[in-house]
Amino acid sequence: MTDPGLTALLDPASIAVIGASDDPDKIGGRLLRFLSDYGFAGKVLPVNPTRDTVQGLPALRAADQLPEGVDLAVVVTAAGAAPDAVAACARRGVRACVVLSSGFAELGGDGERVQREMVATARAHGMRLLGPNCQGVANLASGAVTSFSSTFTNFPLRDGAVAIVSQSGAVAGMLAALQHPHATGLRYWVATGNEADVTVAELIDAVLDDPGVRVVQAYGEHLADAPRLAAAAEKARRSGKAVLMVKAGATEAGAKAAGSHTGALAQPEVVVEAFLRRHGVVRARSLGELSELSRVFGTSVPVRGNRLAIVSNSGGLGVMMADAAVAGGLELAELTEGTRKALRAVLPSFAAVGNPVDVTGQIVQQPRVLTDVLPLLAADPWVDIVLVALGIVGPTYDIDAIVSDIAALHAEAATRGVLVAAASVGGRPDLGERLTARGVPTFDDDAACVRAVARFAEHCEWLRRTPPPAAAPLAVPLPEGAPPGFLSEHAGKALMAAWELPVVPGRLVPSPAAAARVDLGYPLVVKLCSPAAAHKTELGAVRLGLTHADAVERAAAEVLAAGRTAGVTPIEGVLVERMVRGGVEISLGATWDPVFGPTVLVGSGGVHVEVLRDFQLLIPPLDRAGVADALRALAIHPLLTGARGAEPLDVDALVDLVLRFSTHFAATGGALPEIDLNPVFVLRDGVVVADALVRVAGPDPEEA
Amino acid sequence: MTDPGLTALLDPASIAVIGASDDPDKIGGRLLRFLSDYGFAGKVLPVNPTRDTVQGLPALRAADQLPEGVDLAVVVTAAGAAPDAVAACARRGVRACVVLSSGFAELGGDGERVQREMVATARAHGMRLLGPNCQGVANLASGAVTSFSSTFTNFPLRDGAVAIVSQSGAVAGMLAALQHPHATGLRYWVATGNEADVTVAELIDAVLDDPGVRVVQAYGEHLADAPRLAAAAEKARRSGKAVLMVKAGATEAGAKAAGSHTGALAQPEVVVEAFLRRHGVVRARSLGELSELSRVFGTSVPVRGNRLAIVSNSGGLGVMMADAAVAGGLELAELTEGTRKALRAVLPSFAAVGNPVDVTGQIVQQPRVLTDVLPLLAADPWVDIVLVALGIVGPTYDIDAIVSDIAALHAEAATRGVLVAAASVGGRPDLGERLTARGVPTFDDDAACVRAVARFAEHCEWLRRTPPPAAAPLAVPLPEGAPPGFLSEHAGKALMAAWELPVVPGRLVPSPAAAARVDLGYPLVVKLCSPAAAHKTELGAVRLGLTHADAVERAAAEVLAAGRTAGVTPIEGVLVERMVRGGVEISLGATWDPVFGPTVLVGSGGVHVEVLRDFQLLIPPLDRAGVADALRALAIHPLLTGARGAEPLDVDALVDLVLRFSTHFAATGGALPEIDLNPVFVLRDGVVVADALVRVAGPDPEEA
């Protein structure tokens, strides 16, 4: 860990409790009890203005009396006393401070100011601050539990490979409770509250430095520090760990609720989604789902593919899981003839040896049937994942045999990048518990099992890809002296041409007569050209399909008249362009998000991008594979590749265009908050940008 | 119940066991043990060729010795002996017979023949037959358990409001196990196996006659008897009951697996989905989901709307549930100012009184806070559903108070059509158990809770609609003497015109010269007309936008030449039509499904219906509301209502068209297996059918 303050927070050797109480049910007393219950072996320093000892430990009267260099101080006083306590800690060289007290920014007004001052004091002395208005932090390896969450009394939590990092203390508590029955255990538990200083993103990054952590379960309502989160995700990728996250407030109603809960600002959902996907942060939509995902991510090494074999003792259960698998993006493996033959040799004649394999109720008469069947499936070269689905396992089943067969295969197959998971539906609960204890990801819900495995396989596919390197900045100067606001179409296209994008041939001319003389071959298009005419069609300032000079001259006069009638000003002139025909219309856009930076949108062209909402959002840097994936995900993709026997279009040129566009856009650093190229024509040979709307940032710092 | 055979099967007064065994672990012995364990008080008649008594009961030596008029006989013999046993039972006037033995149609060949003969024998004597190759039937009210499923030993199942009807015995067992922890209990449990006679659809219909049944949980891999299932669903609707169903084999992989499991034929998923939706059968995708849905459907009376209030002790949990609710189609209720004021009076100042209401951890200090808050929410006129979401309920919570507050409100609110449900996430398990025991639908997974409630609210909305009456058959004669196969476009359009659909004006002419004389106003369209030219565009046999007579004559010559070059025969002539411009292209089609009958498809027009897969499938009879809903569900719907400031189009005329078309199509009785009207232009004023492809059924009975 690079930041010593965060190290002190997450793994303190000494802990001061400012506001320690002798009553173990009060918050200031609970902390001391937890430190003792969880076996913290470091130094504990209670601070209490009126007592010499607290819960049997020698106490100090004030934070000012703390020895130099305490790792962690926890402030449990009333809000009014907290700033002084924080200041005293800072002066005594405390490395990290947790403020559990509430009554700060969450109340607005004065509370916000006091909180700001408290952070300033901490920073002036190099002390990190968690909270205020938070439920604290715990390290289950050392027993440094400095939280008052009931979750630490509800369950005897134990050390393990999961770290929980959450803005909300209640959510962190629920995640720990959901985590409790599973095999992986818990290393860290942190709730950040108001995040006046230390953020969820920073903590995700920090806990990943612990070699004992395999999975981070994160919860946030606002992603404030996107670069840090991206860096943490990259750290996870490199070290074979996973960051699982619920980003709440995904809908308007949810964002509104989050706003009244923590003051979180709404963030555009499509951007959040694209950002998390881009960085391999695996998103869950509920705490239940987060916990389910964690069960697979916490126990499994990366799997080599997404081809699944299902073995069940119920044909029906096999069918349902096959349906769910395909719906979730998995493929049912086509078993080799050798595997089928070998299966036929060990299974009763009435069993199905396709995929799913149905061992039938025969498992009761032949309890070691899985001993024979499972290794055959896991050894098939076309099988990457083996799901064992057991329904109604009753008293007549040999559970010992079943557990040992599945667990043995799980351990062995992992060495070859093959995943083994289990579902036990409606059977004896001890089957699931024993498989879980042996490290096999096990579910009691058929759909949840397939969902979690499918997400894991999808993440492993992402892991197999080399992330695109950040492209070298391309120094194309922005239009000089352009005032804030939209460029005219001509100026916007000139910029796109400077970015080496294929723009439709055209001329800006001052008059109808000059328009008539334009020599680009017919048919031509005539448009009014003005920075104030972003929506030309609605103005009646566009004429298409002009096939001779007279028509062009007349059209030019008409669009100029339309512009003047609508009061458009300034009018730069008339844009005369070659008319593009055939192909498919695409829309390519970019927006600079204040938190997430450059985002690129590719979708159906024309008005359809808005109506059909057929688009994909991408976060640069991009690579060919990523762009090709996004195009494949569009509903109109079949039109690009030659639906209904049409000739396929030049998708390669489209990928080139998207890559070049996004590299240049990312290099603008936010000077152009918004670009919209719509339509872009994808032709049999090449692509052509037929319209360009470019906005230049104003002096408003929000836009830069 | 109308069918006395089914009554005898589901509620027998006397039961014979053919193949009864003294060994309670063998199948023929298990049955007697279950009848005793579950307290069956009727007559039990064991039949065993070698014993005078079986498990203490006097035994008969052969089925031939059975007294007249036994209600139910269960055949547990080897497959070879089963047909004789069935025949003997039939001769003795047994009302219903369950054949548990396997070795029949599921093996194909001879087994299929023997099974057919067995059914014929039963039918000749008026005896109903369940199975063969099935796990039997149970009535938990009378204790008539004639199944060998382990589920009856794994759990002490008890009587209640749920009926399980499943093709698969293993699935029925899993459903019973998942059902066990919930409050509603189980009345019937039936597994139909090979369905040689009695089907899942028939049994759903039959169990709904029992006033004690509120919910049917059904599982099937093939819906064989659509009219019966539709009738059962209608019975459920009228009696305020619900049919919940997993129809497995929804994907190609799943259907293939189902085929190898039970020989089920693949059924078109979109039709299955439309059929179930049409009839209000609530579809689940997994056993877990079926069980979750059952928890709400089994405990709740119809709710009056979908406006939700959430109250939680964790702001974060409230936000996540708000997200999930909106994603699931619920609305967050806007509380009245009166409700907010009243909430402010009872909640601490730092609690959120919006929606979600966050009572915060204050519930520990103020354990009756729900006593005050819940009735305020449930009394708000804008609230139809109250979700109580409790995270990490620990030892310091007053569980008694929480349970009694929620349960009291659940009971009271139900009388006003307001639903109360609860989620207890990561808290003490006894909270959920106690709420469940009090009849409150309760979940330990936040997302599952919202999902199930949302599906329930959706179903209640369906219930509030009056189902459209079957339209009177409209006697338009089909084209006389038309050979099987496609009609020419002209003949197809003539039929559509006879159905009073607005078809584009046009003339069929024999020659280019006659085409030039057509007087419909320009521009015109010219097409080759032939029953063998279904795909004219690909043939190059269409010319658009012809603005004068010469162009029409030339175009007519060209399309005739194109037809002759391609070897099209017979050529009826050239179709000259007015060209339709503007508006939006829609596609309207119909298919006659061999199982489900008439289906109508409405979607995006042109090639887009195939590429974008933007369509809705409807099952006649239809009504305006249903058609309008389907149109609203299309991605292109905004184009119909005037996206981007365009004028709205004549959606009313489109609804009329769909209604008239589907009424006529339903009246054909399958004589036209397929009609495709694409494009249909929706204009500002009216609609126009611009192309029509009509297929006439051949002598192949599959098509009729």
Side-chain angles (χ1 to χ4, degrees):
Chain A
M1 269 171 236
T2 46
D3 182 328
L6 293 182
T7 310
L9 180 71
L10 290 170
D11 192 15
S14 49
I15 300 173
V17 179
I18 324 292
S21 165
D22 219 35
D23 179 349
D25 287 333
K26 288 197 171 154
I27 289 179
R30 216 186 237 204
L31 293 184
L32 295 183
R33 179 158 63 92
F34 284 169
L35 286 170
S36 153
D37 288 354
Y38 279 89
F40 178 64
K43 198 159 182 59
V44 179
L45 300 150
V47 176
N48 181 306
T50 59
R51 305 181 60 102
D52 290 330
T53 65
V54 178
Q55 294 192 33
L57 294 168
L60 303 167
R61 288 299 171 105
D64 276 323
Q65 298 167 8
L66 285 173
E68 279 286 332
V70 167
D71 272 346
L72 180 63
V74 190
V75 175
V76 206
T77 63
D84 282 350
V86 167
C89 289
R91 284 193 302 271
R92 302 303 300 152
V94 169
R95 292 190 180 87
C97 184
V98 178
V99 183
L100 302 179
S101 324
S102 52
F104 297 93
E106 76 276 15
L107 300 184
D110 237 30
E112 214 159 317
R113 183 187 49 78
V114 174
Q115 177 174 313
R116 255 198 322 271
E117 288 166 7
M118 208 159 58
V119 173
T121 308
R123 287 191 176 152
H125 290 83
M127 182 177 80
R128 300 306 306 268
L129 190 147
L130 183 73
N133 185 32
C134 77
Q135 290 195 15
V137 52
N139 177 324
L140 276 302
S142 73
V145 176
T146 59
S147 164
F148 61 91
S149 169
S150 333
T151 209
F152 294 97
T153 54
N154 280 0
F155 308 100
L157 297 175
R158 56 192 186 66
D159 188 29
V162 171
I164 292 173
V165 179
S166 167
Q167 280 184 269
S168 153
V171 168
M174 285 181 259
L175 284 173
L178 292 173
Q179 175 60 24
H180 171 65
H182 307 306
T184 39
L186 202 61
R187 173 64 48 89
Y188 299 105
W189 185 101
V190 201
T192 58
N194 286 7
E195 298 206 345
D197 176 33
V198 175
T199 64
V200 161
E202 250 182 314
L203 285 166
I204 295 173
D205 192 52
V207 298
L208 285 167
D209 285 329
D210 185 332
V213 169
R214 288 187 69 172
V215 168
V216 181
Q217 296 185 358
Y219 173 85
E221 293 171 9
H222 183 80
L223 303 181
D225 192 357
R228 178 66 75 117
L229 184 54
E234 172 59 15
K235 188 185 281 181
R237 189 189 66 79
R238 283 199 317 269
S239 53
K241 301 176 177 189
V243 180
L244 316 178
M245 176 176 249
V246 171
K247 158 66 178 76
T251 62
E252 204 183 312
K256 202 176 138 203
S260 82
H261 171 219
T262 55
L265 297 171
Q267 294 185 296
E269 169 58 18
V270 285
V271 181
V272 168
E273 181 68 21
F275 176 82
L276 296 179
R277 190 159 16 91
R278 169 72 178 81
H279 294 288
V281 175
V282 179
R283 188 172 187 185
R285 297 287 172 171
S286 70
L287 299 184
E289 190 190 358
L290 191 64
S291 171
E292 285 162 10
L293 290 173
S294 188
R295 246 178 278 177
V296 179
F297 281 81
T299 55
S300 309
V301 299
V303 68
R304 67 189 182 198
N306 73 339
R307 295 159 310 180
L308 175 75
I310 299 173
V311 54
S312 79
N313 64 337
S314 152
L317 187 57
V319 174
M320 283 181 280
M321 293 185 84
D323 278 341
V326 172
L330 297 172
E331 274 177 51
L332 252 65
E334 189 77 42
L335 303 179
T336 66
E337 190 43 48
T339 304
R340 285 167 195 270
K341 211 165 150 184
L343 284 172
R344 257 179 239 116
V346 298
L347 284 172
S349 62
F350 50 83
V353 298
N355 180 13
V357 176
D358 179 7
V359 301
T360 75
Q362 184 68 9
I363 194 170
V364 174
Q365 278 75 50
Q366 195 184 333
R368 301 308 299 231
V369 66
L370 293 178
T371 322
D372 297 325
V373 167
L374 289 178
L376 290 174
L377 292 176
D380 187 300
W382 299 104
V383 172
D384 308 312
I385 304 166
V386 179
L387 279 192
V388 189
L390 297 171
I392 48 158
V393 168
T396 51
Y397 281 71
D398 182 346
I399 297 240
D400 291 337
I402 294 174
V403 168
S404 70
D405 284 343
I406 298 174
L409 189 79
H410 176 263
E412 186 277 324
T415 63
R416 294 176 292 114
V418 171
L419 172 66
V420 175
S424 169
V425 183
R428 281 164 51 177
D430 57 335
L431 175 59
E433 283 159 19
R434 290 177 58 187
L435 285 170
T436 297
R438 297 283 296 271
V440 180
T442 306
F443 296 79
D444 57 7
D445 180 305
D446 48 334
C449 176
V450 174
R451 267 198 311 262
V453 167
R455 293 295 298 280
F456 182 67
E458 187 189 349
H459 182 68
C460 293
E461 193 189 329
W462 179 86
L463 284 175
R464 283 193 296 276
R465 297 191 169 186
T466 320
L474 289 160
V476 172
L478 299 178
E480 222 170 307
F486 290 109
L487 297 181
S488 76
E489 182 176 350
H490 180 68
K493 280 179 168 164
L495 181 66
M496 294 302 104
W499 286 8
E500 300 177 72
L501 308 189
V503 173
V504 66
R507 305 273 182 278
L508 179 66
V509 296
S511 67
R517 288 193 300 273
V518 169
D519 180 22
L520 287 168
Y522 295 104
L524 288 173
V525 175
V526 160
K527 310 180 200 174
L528 182 70
C529 190
S530 160
H535 297 287
K536 295 173 291 288
T537 307
E538 284 79 350
L539 281 179
V542 178
R543 293 291 183 281
L544 305 175
L546 307 167
T547 53
H548 48 84
D550 286 356
V552 171
E553 186 164 1
R554 195 166 53 241
E558 284 167 9
V559 301
L560 285 168
R564 281 191 291 264
T565 305
V568 172
T569 172
I571 290 175
E572 290 182 2
V574 173
L575 199 53
V576 183
E577 292 179 337
R578 195 184 297 154
M579 180 157 162
V580 187
R581 282 179 300 185
V584 165
E585 293 184 31
I586 286 287
S587 124
L588 177 61
T591 307
W592 199 276
D593 185 275
V595 169
F596 299 101
T599 71
V600 170
L601 176 150
V602 59
S604 298
V607 296
H608 287 77
V609 66
E610 289 168 46
V611 172
L612 302 179
R613 300 194 61 75
D614 179 28
F615 64 82
Q616 293 283 306
L617 203 71
L618 298 163
I619 312 271
L622 306 178
D623 58 7
R624 298 196 77 80
V627 175
D629 276 355
L631 295 176
R632 256 192 298 278
L634 294 179
I636 53 148
H637 183 254
L639 295 181
L640 297 176
T641 51
R644 291 197 23 138
E647 230 180 298
L649 303 176
D650 197 343
V651 175
D652 270 354
L654 178 58
V655 173
D656 284 338
L657 175 73
V658 176
L659 287 174
R660 197 168 306 140
F661 174 70
S662 61
T663 305
H664 276 98
F665 182 71
T668 62
L672 303 176
E674 193 184 349
I675 302 182
D676 194 12
L677 311 184
N678 182 9
V680 171
F681 285 87
V682 186
L683 306 171
R684 288 184 195 171
D685 188 11
V687 293
V688 179
V689 176
D691 200 353
L693 193 59
V694 177
R695 190 154 68 84
V696 176
D700 179 355
E702 281 288 286
E703 286 200 332
Chain B
M1 268 173 241
T2 44
D3 182 328
L6 293 182
T7 309
L9 180 70
L10 290 170
D11 192 14
S14 49
I15 301 174
V17 179
I18 325 293
S21 166
D22 219 35
D23 179 348
D25 287 333
K26 287 196 172 157
I27 289 180
R30 215 186 239 206
L31 294 184
L32 294 183
R33 179 158 62 90
F34 284 168
L35 285 170
S36 153
D37 288 354
Y38 279 89
F40 178 64
K43 198 160 181 60
V44 179
L45 300 152
V47 176
N48 182 305
T50 62
R51 304 181 59 103
D52 290 330
T53 65
V54 178
Q55 294 191 34
L57 295 168
L60 304 168
R61 288 301 171 104
D64 277 323
Q65 297 167 8
L66 284 174
E68 279 285 333
V70 167
D71 272 346
L72 180 63
V74 190
V75 175
V76 207
T77 64
D84 281 352
V86 166
C89 288
R91 285 193 302 271
R92 301 301 302 152
V94 169
R95 294 192 178 85
C97 183
V98 178
V99 182
L100 302 179
S101 324
S102 53
F104 297 91
E106 76 277 14
L107 300 183
D110 239 30
E112 215 158 315
R113 183 186 50 77
V114 174
Q115 176 175 313
R116 254 199 321 271
E117 288 166 7
M118 209 157 59
V119 173
T121 307
R123 286 190 175 153
H125 290 83
M127 180 177 80
R128 299 307 305 268
L129 189 146
L130 182 73
N133 185 32
C134 77
Q135 291 195 13
V137 53
N139 177 324
L140 276 302
S142 73
V145 176
T146 59
S147 164
F148 60 92
S149 169
S150 333
T151 209
F152 294 97
T153 54
N154 281 0
F155 308 99
L157 298 176
R158 53 190 188 68
D159 186 30
V162 171
I164 292 173
V165 179
S166 167
Q167 277 184 275
S168 155
V171 167
M174 285 181 260
L175 284 173
L178 293 172
Q179 174 60 25
H180 171 63
H182 306 304
T184 38
L186 203 61
R187 173 64 48 91
Y188 299 106
W189 185 102
V190 200
T192 58
N194 286 8
E195 298 206 344
D197 177 33
V198 175
T199 64
V200 161
E202 250 182 315
L203 285 167
I204 295 172
D205 193 51
V207 298
L208 284 167
D209 285 330
D210 184 331
V213 168
R214 288 186 69 172
V215 169
V216 181
Q217 297 185 357
Y219 173 86
E221 293 171 10
H222 184 81
L223 302 182
D225 191 357
R228 177 67 75 118
L229 185 53
E234 172 59 15
K235 188 186 282 183
R237 189 189 68 78
R238 281 198 318 268
S239 54
K241 302 177 178 189
V243 180
L244 315 178
M245 176 176 252
V246 171
K247 157 67 178 73
T251 62
E252 203 183 313
K256 202 176 137 201
S260 81
H261 172 218
T262 54
L265 297 172
Q267 294 184 297
E269 169 58 19
V270 285
V271 181
V272 168
E273 180 67 20
F275 176 81
L276 296 179
R277 190 158 17 90
R278 170 74 178 78
H279 294 287
V281 175
V282 179
R283 189 172 187 187
R285 296 288 172 169
S286 70
L287 300 185
E289 190 190 358
L290 191 62
S291 172
E292 286 161 11
L293 290 173
S294 189
R295 245 178 281 174
V296 180
F297 281 81
T299 55
S300 310
V301 299
V303 68
R304 67 188 181 198
N306 73 339
R307 295 157 310 179
L308 175 73
I310 299 173
V311 55
S312 79
N313 64 338
S314 152
L317 187 57
V319 174
M320 284 182 281
M321 293 185 84
D323 278 342
V326 172
L330 297 173
E331 274 177 51
L332 252 64
E334 190 77 44
L335 304 180
T336 66
E337 190 42 49
T339 305
R340 285 168 195 268
K341 212 165 150 182
L343 285 171
R344 258 180 238 117
V346 297
L347 284 172
S349 62
F350 49 85
V353 298
N355 181 13
V357 177
D358 180 6
V359 301
T360 75
Q362 183 69 11
I363 193 171
V364 174
Q365 278 76 48
Q366 196 183 332
R368 300 310 298 234
V369 66
L370 293 178
T371 322
D372 298 324
V373 167
L374 289 178
L376 290 175
L377 292 176
D380 188 299
W382 300 104
V383 171
D384 308 312
I385 305 166
V386 178
L387 279 192
V388 188
L390 298 171
I392 49 157
V393 168
T396 51
Y397 281 71
D398 182 346
I399 299 239
D400 290 339
I402 294 174
V403 168
S404 70
D405 284 342
I406 298 174
L409 189 78
H410 175 264
E412 185 277 323
T415 63
R416 293 175 293 116
V418 172
L419 172 65
V420 175
S424 168
V425 183
R428 284 166 47 178
D430 58 335
L431 175 58
E433 284 159 18
R434 289 177 58 188
L435 284 170
T436 297
R438 296 283 296 272
V440 180
T442 306
F443 297 79
D444 57 7
D445 181 304
D446 47 334
C449 176
V450 175
R451 267 199 310 264
V453 167
R455 292 295 298 280
F456 182 68
E458 187 189 348
H459 182 68
C460 292
E461 193 189 329
W462 179 86
L463 284 175
R464 283 192 295 274
R465 298 190 169 187
T466 320
L474 290 160
V476 171
L478 298 180
E480 220 170 309
F486 290 108
L487 298 181
S488 76
E489 182 175 348
H490 179 68
K493 281 178 169 164
L495 181 65
M496 294 303 103
W499 287 8
E500 298 177 73
L501 308 189
V503 173
V504 67
R507 304 275 183 277
L508 179 66
V509 295
S511 67
R517 288 193 300 271
V518 170
D519 180 22
L520 287 168
Y522 296 104
L524 289 172
V525 175
V526 159
K527 310 180 199 174
L528 182 70
C529 190
S530 162
H535 296 288
K536 294 171 293 287
T537 307
E538 285 80 348
L539 281 179
V542 178
R543 293 290 183 281
L544 306 175
L546 308 167
T547 54
H548 48 85
D550 284 356
V552 171
E553 185 163 6
R554 195 165 55 237
E558 285 167 8
V559 302
L560 284 168
R564 281 191 291 263
T565 307
V568 172
T569 170
I571 290 176
E572 291 184 359
V574 173
L575 200 52
V576 183
E577 292 179 338
R578 194 184 299 153
M579 181 158 163
V580 186
R581 282 178 300 185
V584 164
E585 292 184 30
I586 286 288
S587 126
L588 178 60
T591 307
W592 199 276
D593 184 276
V595 170
F596 300 100
T599 71
V600 170
L601 176 150
V602 59
S604 297
V607 297
H608 288 78
V609 66
E610 289 169 46
V611 172
L612 302 179
R613 298 193 63 73
D614 179 28
F615 64 82
Q616 293 284 306
L617 202 72
L618 297 165
I619 311 270
L622 306 178
D623 59 6
R624 296 197 77 81
V627 175
D629 275 353
L631 295 176
R632 256 191 299 277
L634 295 179
I636 52 148
H637 183 254
L639 295 182
L640 298 176
T641 51
R644 293 205 8 145
E647 230 180 297
L649 303 175
D650 196 344
V651 175
D652 270 354
L654 178 58
V655 173
D656 284 338
L657 175 73
V658 175
L659 288 174
R660 198 168 304 141
F661 175 70
S662 60
T663 304
H664 277 99
F665 182 71
T668 62
L672 304 175
E674 191 184 349
I675 302 182
D676 193 12
L677 311 184
N678 182 9
V680 172
F681 286 86
V682 186
L683 305 171
R684 289 187 193 166
D685 188 11
V687 293
V688 178
V689 175
D691 201 353
L693 192 60
V694 177
R695 191 154 67 82
V696 177
D700 178 355
E702 282 288 286
E703 286 198 333

